[in-house]
Amino acid sequence: MINYTEKIPNNVDLGRDRVLQRALEHWQPAYLSWWYDMGPNESHNFEVYLRTAISVEPDGWAQFDYVKMPEYRWGIFLQPPDEKRQVNFGIHKGQPAWQDVPGEYRSILRRIVVTQGDTEPASVEQQKMLGLSCPSLYDLRNIFQVNVEEGRHLWAMVYLLHRYFGRDGREEAESLLARRSGDTDNPRILGAFNEPTPDWLAFYMFTFFTDRDGKFQLCALAESGFDPLARTCRFMLTEEAHHMFVGESGVSRIIQRTCEVMKENKIDAPADVRALGVIDLQTIQRYLNFHYSVTLDLYGSDVSSNAANYYTSGLKGRFRETKLEDDHVLRDAMYPVSEVVGDKINTKQVPALTSLNERLRDDYIEEIQAGVDRWQRVIDEAGIPFRLTLPHKGFHREIGNFTGHFISPTGEILSEEQWKAHEFDWLPSPKDYSYVQSLMSGRVAELGKFANWIAPPVKGVNGQPLDFQYVRFN
Ligand SMILES: [Fe+2]
Ligand SMILES: [Fe+2]
């Protein structure tokens, strides 16, 4: 169980390590001042119907109550240890899992923890303004839930930095509060986390696409031979599932509402759809193209010696590593990656070890495709002849083998001119953004009411009705 009587709730017996406890208590006010600055705008007095973990078991989410977000019980929760756990891949395979940082991997591990940690506050910063234009109290509560949990994910990574990386770790923990999403001088580490999230369609796309990248990275780190990292990530994954639910159901409800309006009024031209105050499916497709492509970049270069090192050292595994049936060393295995040769996209076999980023990206794409298929079903059930598609993997990429090429959603290699001529058929234009934002100019805060551009969800939170007071504004 989690100890909530301590200043920093935890299940790691923090009270027994005075030095660590003091260091974290010193970081805590800095974190809070970051939250007051960069957390959801003007929300500090709201009472929000939030869930708080009461134990780290998969069913440990029973606690729902009104909480002012600055008083949320952020803390340090790791999945309980498995004494018999081993390093399950790489050259140390079969050794007992490490309970401390192996000296030779110290700087790589620190880099991994910092890179993961940096994404957590970044997304809170990106979503800071959205509460002012929420489509309902239900949705407002959901974004706040996501935000406090991203805050807790930052705590999770900061605990590892403080506990295992000494002075360097403490300095990194401070830097995590100093960088800012989109800042020109001191930006967040990864590209997608410096993009704005200007409206609720972007928010749902982000939680569907980019939080799912989070899931895959956490799954790979949950395999780590460094046991505290693995156990931390396991618990973070239980929180991530909710973020992806918010994204998938949010987009789905927007699609549903658009389809209802199209059907009722027997219209299909985007201008007619917009005239009725809902988001045309073409714009939804362009948002999808954008969020998918910038998220694919987060997996890194198709061929990467870093990825090979992380694996060989036993620090970062593959998706579902222990369920895979092979040698878990990848000595001779090969894997296909794409490359642009002249005006063609070819596939070539490369050592599986160096293409682990690409493999994780492919695992991710498979799951994304299944989600897009579920969105498609909403359109099909409405009898509307429109297909939502994932663009080609090389579309709009800035990292890896496709960098510098202009590739259409269907995978043709274009000249820069051809690309420019179609750019805004494929990606949201400034006009698209201003249309979507024009729908979201204020907060819908009446009990049980939903903005015109989104359908209500199937059910409320924790068995509560849709007209429940999910947020009290005070
Ligand atoms: Fe997270
Ligand atoms: Fe998340």
Side-chain angles (χ1 to χ4, degrees):
M1 287 309 249
I2 293 165
N3 183 349
Y4 276 107
T5 61
E6 292 194 51
K7 202 165 162 198
I8 300 170
N10 70 91
N11 71 341
V12 293
D13 210 0
L14 194 58
R16 272 180 46 187
D17 187 340
R18 287 287 165 204
V19 176
L20 173 65
Q21 189 178 28
R22 265 200 300 274
L24 283 164
E25 284 177 3
H26 184 74
W27 187 82
Q28 192 173 34
Y31 169 80
L32 271 177
S33 103
W34 167 82
W35 180 271
Y36 274 106
D37 249 18
M38 298 312 296
N41 213 42
E42 292 173 20
S43 69
H44 306 313
N45 241 343
F46 299 175
E47 288 173 70
V48 187
Y49 187 67
L50 294 176
R51 68 175 187 181
T52 304
I54 52 167
S55 93
V56 294
E57 303 307 320
D59 57 355
W61 279 111
Q63 185 77 35
F64 281 82
D65 208 349
Y66 288 100
V67 179
K68 286 186 181 174
M69 285 187 284
E71 292 160 20
Y72 187 75
R73 304 294 277 138
W74 284 292
I76 299 156
F77 317 134
L78 273 66
Q79 197 161 83
D82 164 7
E83 311 294 341
K84 292 193 286 282
R85 188 163 180 268
Q86 297 183 338
V87 181
N88 293 314
F89 57 92
I91 53 172
H92 303 290
K93 196 175 111 171
Q95 296 175 10
W98 305 303
Q99 298 307 324
D100 238 310
V101 178
E104 73 262 47
Y105 301 140
R106 195 182 162 83
S107 65
I108 312 185
L109 261 176
R110 194 183 65 215
R111 194 77 212 143
I112 290 175
V113 171
V114 166
T115 307
Q116 178 61 42
D118 192 66
T119 65
E120 315 292 356
S123 64
V124 176
E125 293 164 3
Q126 288 169 295
Q127 295 160 15
K128 177 177 171 57
M129 303 306 290
L130 292 176
L132 302 177
S133 59
C134 63
S136 72
L137 289 182
Y138 165 90
D139 290 280
L140 185 61
R141 176 263 167 217
N142 278 349
I143 195 173
F144 289 160
Q145 182 76 57
V146 171
N147 292 157
V148 292
E149 286 171 4
E150 300 304 5
R152 207 205 63 76
H153 290 179
L154 173 60
W155 269 93
M157 293 297 114
V158 164
Y159 164 71
L160 294 176
L161 288 170
H162 274 233
R163 167 77 175 75
Y164 296 98
F165 296 91
R167 191 199 167 127
D168 297 350
R170 289 194 294 278
E171 282 170 9
E172 294 283 13
E174 307 224 326
S175 302
L176 286 169
L177 296 176
R179 285 186 285 273
R180 288 287 180 273
S181 175
D183 192 282
T184 33
D185 298 326
N186 196 12
R188 292 295 172 184
I189 295 169
L190 300 170
F193 292 90
N194 288 301
E195 298 285 347
T197 308
D199 57 65
W200 281 77
L201 178 56
F203 166 67
Y204 296 129
M205 290 286 179
F206 184 96
T207 39
F208 177 78
F209 285 103
T210 310
D211 280 76
R212 193 177 310 274
D213 159 69
K215 168 188 164 173
F216 277 77
Q217 300 299 340
L218 292 175
C219 281
L221 295 176
E223 304 288 347
S224 182
F226 176 46
D227 201 44
L229 176 61
R231 289 164 50 209
T232 304
C233 291
R234 288 248 171 257
F235 183 67
M236 289 164 77
L237 279 165
T238 65
E239 292 164 318
E240 212 59 72
H242 172 255
H243 308 177
M244 292 181 294
F245 159 79
V246 168
E248 179 170 337
S249 60
V251 174
S252 182
R253 289 162 51 210
I254 293 177
I255 293 173
Q256 186 192 331
R257 180 65 190 137
T258 299
C259 290
E260 281 167 11
V261 169
M262 289 173 73
K263 227 172 120 177
E264 272 167 33
N265 297 279
K266 302 192 174 56
I267 49 171
D268 61 8
D272 297 339
V273 173
R274 286 189 179 193
L276 293 173
V278 293
I279 305 173
D280 50 293
L281 299 173
Q282 289 80 355
T283 296
I284 294 172
Q285 175 72 62
R286 288 192 284 274
Y287 270 65
L288 179 160
N289 293 349
F290 174 78
H291 287 272
Y292 177 61
S293 56
V294 300
T295 305
L296 288 185
D297 275 343
L298 289 174
Y299 290 84
S301 298
D302 315 49
V303 172
S304 159
S305 57
N306 275 344
N309 282 338
Y310 293 175
Y311 187 82
T312 303
S313 320
L315 303 177
K316 182 178 177 185
R318 288 171 293 175
F319 183 55
R320 301 199 170 125
E321 180 70 43
T322 49
K323 308 248 156 59
L324 298 172
E325 288 185 18
D326 58 21
D327 65 358
H328 302 279
V329 183
L330 302 178
R331 205 167 280 129
D332 309 309
M334 303 295 277
Y335 194 81
V337 300
S338 306
E339 61 176 358
V340 179
V341 182
D343 60 354
K344 284 206 175 59
I345 295 170
N346 288 348
T347 303
K348 65 170 179 183
Q349 295 289 328
V350 301
L353 255 187
T354 59
S355 54
L356 286 165
N357 287 342
E358 185 65 3
R359 178 178 179 136
L360 194 59
R361 183 162 30 232
D362 288 339
D363 290 333
Y364 165 83
I365 291 172
E366 201 182 311
E367 217 180 86
I368 284 288
Q369 181 66 61
V372 173
D373 292 345
R374 288 189 290 274
W375 291 341
Q376 181 64 45
R377 244 172 270 153
V378 177
I379 303 175
D380 293 344
E381 276 163 23
I384 291 167
F386 184 91
R387 280 215 73 73
L388 273 182
T389 48
L390 281 182
H392 187 274
K393 208 198 261 186
F395 170 78
H396 188 234
R397 291 287 305 282
E398 288 184 5
I399 288 177
N401 289 351
F402 295 109
T403 313
H405 297 283
F406 297 96
I407 297 171
S408 75
T410 47
E412 290 117 336
I413 298 173
L414 308 176
S415 67
E416 186 169 359
E417 259 179 12
Q418 290 170 311
W419 165 270
K420 283 261 183 274
H422 289 285
E423 184 177 359
F424 294 130
D425 297 336
W426 300 330
L427 290 170
S429 68
K431 278 187 187 156
D432 291 335
Y433 283 120
S434 54
Y435 172 67
V436 172
Q437 283 163 42
S438 75
L439 298 176
M440 304 172 190
S441 54
R443 186 184 272 150
V444 177
E446 278 168 59
L447 295 191
K449 202 172 169 232
F450 288 81
N452 178 55
W453 49 266
I454 191 166
V458 181
K459 56 180 177 34
V461 177
N462 189 35
Q464 301 291 358
L466 292 185
D467 60 1
F468 184 71
Q469 182 93 50
Y470 288 106
V471 179
R472 295 179 186 146
F473 292 102
N474 296 318

